[in-house]
Amino acid sequence: MTFNVTSNTGGQVSWILKYDNFASIISSGSMNISPNQTQTIPYTSSAAGVIICEVTQGNNQALAAAAFSPFEIQPFVDEPADFDAFWNGQKSLLADVPIDPVVTFYQSNTYSTSYRIKLNNVDNRKVYGYIVIPNGPGPFPAILDLPPYGTIADLAVPNVGLAEQGGVIAVSIVIHNAPADQVDPDAYLPDNYADKDSSYYRWAILSGIRAIDFIFTRNEFNGTDLGVVGVSQGAGLATIVSGLDSRVKLLAMSNPVLSQNAGLKYNRAGGFPNFIQNSRSSFGTISHEEATVDATRYYDAMFHIRRYGNPLYANLSYEDVVTPAETGFATINQSSGKKILLHSLELGHTHPFEYWVKRQDFIRRVFPSTLTTHPFPYSSNDQGYWIDAGDDLIISGTTAGLTASILKNGSNNPSFILGWKKISGPGNVSFSNINAVSYTHLR
């Protein structure tokens, strides 16, 4: 990869190449640049990953990022042998706690009605948030929206737009032990991330599962079509909850945290909330760092998404130094279901407008009954993106004809860059035309 550097003023420019803000700098240097002329920073990577180039000239700074074989990025650590046993035990603890929902009216308009909710969680904690129900005969699909990171009030609000544009029941919750419009003074406390039984995120994850339990008690819910969505922290939590709860049929997320948690141990990008860096800065011992690596494997979205095989819609922002795209790829690459991934090449820790619009379309595609059943204010597009490699085939000879479909808003759009690839299995595979929508596959 060659990074091109241009400035409208002359002078010295310094640069660094890095995986994230905590791993060792890959390389660095400086150069003198003339106004409006381009200098280059070449780099060849020997491993799959995402490299961020940061250039500085005086008080000005700019970023660019390059992905090297991003679909080959894999976990640096193994999944715990007792991963399922641990989480089955946690879910059993939750199941023993009565939901005891408290639902109170909040607001209403022509298209929907919103309520505050309070539910029981483990350890005498509560789950707080809102439910928005479309005004109509139902029953409806449901979407659970999990919150971004933060300690301020109103991280969860009534998701009226999602409910009305998607024609779905929209539930939004916080992970702290206080009503959604209040500040929890103990947010993220206590938290012993070096002990799998004492991580604050254990409560957060069980909060999401408890919200799903509540959705399944509602008569307005159709009993089948449940999705989970979120961005940043909400994306990581949505991914984890989707892997833990087989009732989830749709996952949409952007820039997930809690991915590749152990990355920094291997001097690579690590997932927010940067458990390894926190261990080093707060404790500074090898034993605590090793305990942190071990415990946070249970909270790594990479391993949870392996257990989720339904449709996925996601965004990764390449210049994100909060939740580096490399960590997001490590998670998405473990997904076995149909997936649509937006590549935001020039965004940091933000989520593009296209993600929000096409997320609504994705929901309506996966849960198509919402398209025409109710007269809600749907957005103009109704199909979004969809890519399908075709039905599974069983062949007796050595060749097979494969036909894919690539759709945008219901219309074929073969102008996208196409490529067939062998994912797994024995034997050698050759392709007669690797970049065609339809062609003969030789085996």
Side-chain angles (χ1 to χ4, degrees):
M1 179 63 65
T2 298
F3 295 98
N4 297 322
V5 183
T6 305
S7 175
N8 56 11
T9 60
Q12 189 176 66
V13 172
S14 60
W15 58 267
I16 61 173
L17 299 181
K18 61 183 182 179
Y19 291 112
D20 68 0
N21 286 337
F22 301 109
S24 300
I25 291 174
I26 300 168
S27 61
S28 62
S30 62
M31 64 181 73
N32 287 315
I33 193 167
S34 299
N36 302 314
Q37 292 188 352
T38 299
Q39 293 270 28
T40 61
I41 303 171
Y43 180 73
T44 299
S45 179
S46 59
V50 179
I51 308 297
I52 296 173
C53 179
E54 179 183 294
V55 297
T56 303
Q57 183 187 37
N59 294 324
N60 298 317
Q61 189 178 81
L63 296 178
F68 294 84
S69 301
F71 297 113
E72 296 178 10
I73 297 171
Q74 295 296 316
F76 293 124
V77 294
D78 294 329
E79 177 182 304
D82 64 340
F83 185 90
D84 290 319
F86 171 75
W87 283 110
N88 287 338
Q90 298 303 314
K91 290 190 289 184
S92 294
L93 292 176
L94 180 64
D96 289 337
V97 177
I99 302 175
D100 287 343
V102 178
V103 181
T104 56
F105 174 81
Y106 182 74
Q107 66 184 21
S108 66
N109 62 32
T110 301
Y111 300 108
S112 66
T113 303
S114 304
Y115 303 87
R116 295 179 184 268
I117 60 173
K118 181 172 73 171
L119 318 171
N120 285 338
N121 198 358
V122 297
D123 302 330
N124 295 316
R125 290 175 67 90
K126 304 296 181 183
V127 180
Y128 295 94
Y130 301 92
I131 181 171
V132 185
I133 302 173
N135 295 334
F140 304 99
I143 301 293
L144 170 62
D145 191 358
L146 294 173
Y149 184 89
T151 60
I152 62 173
D154 296 319
L155 284 171
V157 296
N159 207 329
V160 174
L162 178 61
E164 295 179 356
Q165 293 185 20
V168 300
I169 298 168
V171 175
S172 51
I173 64 168
V174 293
I175 63 171
H176 305 312
N177 201 33
D181 57 354
Q182 298 179 23
V183 173
D184 180 1
D186 295 320
Y188 297 107
L189 296 172
D191 181 24
N192 181 3
Y193 48 82
D195 178 0
K196 68 178 184 297
D197 296 298
S198 304
S199 170
Y200 191 89
Y201 279 109
R202 181 179 72 93
W203 288 325
I205 292 162
L206 295 179
S207 293
I209 296 174
R210 178 41 40 107
I212 294 174
D213 293 337
F214 168 67
I215 290 170
F216 271 79
T217 70
R218 302 295 301 188
N219 293 331
E220 303 91 345
F221 176 52
N222 68 16
T224 302
D225 298 325
L226 172 73
V228 184
V229 302
V231 298
S232 190
Q233 175 186 267
L237 292 175
T239 303
I240 290 172
V241 169
S242 297
L244 288 176
D245 198 317
S246 61
R247 294 172 292 183
V248 179
K249 300 297 189 293
L250 173 153
L251 169 61
M253 53 90 156
S254 176
N255 299 329
V257 311
L258 297 166
S259 298
Q260 198 78 286
N261 291 329
L264 184 58
K265 173 180 168 60
Y266 299 89
N267 209 24
R268 296 290 293 271
F272 185 88
N274 306 307
F275 294 116
I276 303 302
Q277 176 64 18
N278 293 340
S279 172
R280 292 178 179 179
S281 61
S282 298
F283 297 91
T285 66
I286 294 176
S287 61
H288 190 272
E289 181 170 324
E290 290 300 323
T292 299
V293 169
D294 183 61
T296 57
R297 291 186 301 161
Y298 296 85
Y299 296 88
D300 204 310
M302 299 183 302
F303 303 134
H304 290 274
I305 203 170
R306 289 175 176 175
R307 290 152 173 82
Y308 173 78
N310 292 313
L312 164 66
Y313 173 72
N315 169 76
L316 293 179
S317 297
Y318 280 35
E319 296 178 8
D320 191 343
V321 294
V322 177
T323 60
E326 179 173 310
T327 67
F329 276 111
T331 288
I332 290 171
N333 290 346
Q334 301 301 304
S335 166
S336 61
K338 295 179 180 179
K339 49 186 174 258
I340 304 294
L341 174 62
L342 300 182
H343 301 252
S344 296
L345 306 184
E346 298 179 353
L347 289 185
H349 192 58
T350 55
H351 322 285
F353 175 74
E354 185 174 23
Y355 167 77
W356 301 106
V357 174
K358 293 298 185 286
R359 189 185 75 170
Q360 306 290 67
D361 299 333
F362 179 73
I363 291 170
R364 291 194 294 270
R365 174 180 284 278
V366 179
F367 301 152
S369 62
T370 63
L371 284 172
T372 58
T373 305
H374 305 289
F376 298 120
Y378 296 119
S379 57
S380 57
N381 295 330
D382 63 5
Q383 295 293 305
Y385 297 113
W386 195 252
I387 299 174
D388 194 331
D391 295 334
D392 292 345
L393 298 175
I394 298 176
I395 62 173
S396 58
T398 59
T399 65
L402 301 181
T403 300
S405 62
I406 301 172
L407 302 175
K408 181 179 180 181
N409 298 330
S411 300
N412 286 318
N413 192 335
S415 63
F416 291 159
I417 299 172
L418 315 175
W420 291 87
K421 180 181 180 181
K422 174 189 170 183
I423 301 298
S424 63
N428 297 317
V429 177
S430 61
F431 301 95
S432 59
N433 188 342
I434 199 169
N435 300 121
V437 176
S438 300
Y439 71 95
T440 299
H441 151 210
L442 305 177
R443 178 172 173 270

